[in-house]
Amino acid sequence: KNQVEQSPQSLIILEGKNCTLQCNYTVSPFSNLRWYKQDTGRGPVSLTIMTFSENTKSNGRYTATLDADTKQSSLHITASQLSDSASYICVVSVYGGSQGNLIFGKGTKLSVKP
Amino acid sequence: DAGVIQSPRHEVTEMGQEVTLRCKPISGHDYLFWYRQTMMRGLELLIYFNNNVPIDDSGMPEDRFSAKMPNASFSTLKIQPSEPRDSAVYFCAITGLAGAEQYFGPGTRLTVT
């Protein structure tokens, strides 16, 4: 069964600290993996999209990594800011699937405290 | 939220009532998606359209749910009759190319009492 598991479910860190969020998937065949940021009361916003051949991709202070062999991805946030408080959702696309064949994780809720 | 307007932003209704959620994509797109988000189940795809044609509605939970896209600038999701378990945030999303990233609207928070 195609699944995406994220950990931890929630995380509290102090402003300025780094953190890493994890995503494990069992989706096959794999097409791409996406990380979204969702602020409270808003829709998800794309941070990165990585294909099978990409190991790492950065977007400002956000760096995503992908290990297609172990089917794991991580999202690293450097020098966290209060505005990083949000839910982070990992999404995996099935290769050859329809446009709707995206498997969503349930997200990690990050709280950055001053 | 750029590119997608959803209305209403909040809807509170009583069980048994009809509910219509609206989505107006601002920018050009080929695909339009309707999602539902709850704490327990996360984001779930309900239905998506390609060039205004429904392609996959296998995520629509029951016959009480229906969606239409009469033109490229407007789509509706209707629940009739509504039930308390339909309470969730409903998102509309668009994408311009196959496999490209999706742009989500701000969502409609539906509460059915």
Side-chain angles (χ1 to χ4, degrees), chain A residues 6 21 36-37 47 62 75 77 84 86-89 107-108 110:
Chain A
Q6 292 188 244
L21 314 181
Y36 284 87
K37 178 187 179 188
L47 293 175
Y62 300 100
L75 181 68
I77 305 175
D84 293 330
S87 287
Y88 293 84
I89 303 171
T108 292
L110 174 65

Side-chain angles (χ1 to χ4, degrees), chain A residues 14-27:
Chain A
L14 292 176
E15 185 179 13
K17 298 296 186 182
N18 303 335
C19 69
T20 300
L21 314 181
Q22 299 291 343
C23 173
N24 296 337
Y25 61 93
T26 58
V27 177

Side-chain angles (χ1 to χ4, degrees), chain A residues 32 34 36 38 41-47 49 89 98-102 104-106, chain B residues 1 9 31 33 35 37 40-41 43 45 48 56 91 98-102 104-106:
Chain A
N32 61 63
R34 313 166 187 209
Y36 284 87
Q38 184 176 18
R42 306 287 293 272
V45 175
S46 179
L47 293 175
I49 299 178
I89 303 171
S98 69
Q99 280 301 294
N101 219 341
L102 300 178
F104 288 82
K106 292 185 179 179
Chain B
D1 303 343
R9 292 296 312 276
Y31 297 87
F33 305 78
Y35 291 92
Q37 186 177 40
M40 288 294 294
R41 301 173 68 91
L43 271 165
L45 177 67
Y48 78 93
D56 183 356
F91 288 102
E101 66 178 278
Q102 295 185 5
F104 285 77

Side-chain angles (χ1 to χ4, degrees), chain A residues 43-81:
Chain A
V45 175
S46 179
L47 293 175
T48 64
I49 299 178
M50 288 186 293
T51 60
F52 182 88
S53 59
E54 295 176 293
N55 301 114
T56 185
K57 184 169 275 190
S58 293
N59 179 354
R61 294 179 297 102
Y62 300 100
T63 299
T65 65
L66 174 64
D67 186 334
D69 291 331
T70 62
K71 297 187 177 182
Q72 295 180 325
S73 176
S74 65
L75 181 68
H76 186 76
I77 305 175
T78 304
S80 62
Q81 301 177 358

Side-chain angles (χ1 to χ4, degrees), chain B:
Chain B
D1 303 343
V4 182
I5 296 175
Q6 289 188 249
S7 63
R9 292 296 312 276
H10 302 273
E11 176 81 28
V12 180
T13 190
E14 292 184 346
M15 182 175 63
Q17 297 297 307
E18 177 181 297
V19 176
T20 299
L21 311 181
R22 297 172 176 80
C23 175
K24 294 184 67 176
I26 298 175
S27 54
H29 63 279
D30 292 323
Y31 297 87
L32 184 142
F33 305 78
W34 280 101
Y35 291 92
R36 177 172 68 178
Q37 186 177 40
T38 61
M39 289 289 291
M40 288 294 294
R41 301 173 68 91
L43 271 165
E44 300 174 284
L45 177 67
L46 299 176
I47 184 172
Y48 78 93
F49 297 82
N50 179 207
N51 293 324
N52 312 336
V53 177
I55 302 301
D56 183 356
D57 65 353
S58 59
M60 298 285 260
E62 300 171 33
D63 291 342
R64 298 184 295 106
F65 286 68
S66 63
K68 294 181 179 180
M69 191 165 184
N71 59 64
S73 301
F74 187 65
S75 178
T76 60
L77 178 68
K78 184 178 293 185
I79 308 172
Q80 167 62 22
S82 58
E83 297 183 3
R85 59 190 167 131
D86 301 332
S87 297
V89 181
Y90 291 81
F91 288 102
C92 176
I94 59 173
T95 184
L97 296 172
E101 66 178 278
Q102 295 185 5
Y103 296 93
F104 285 77
T108 294
R109 179 173 294 277
L110 173 64
T111 302
V112 183
T113 60

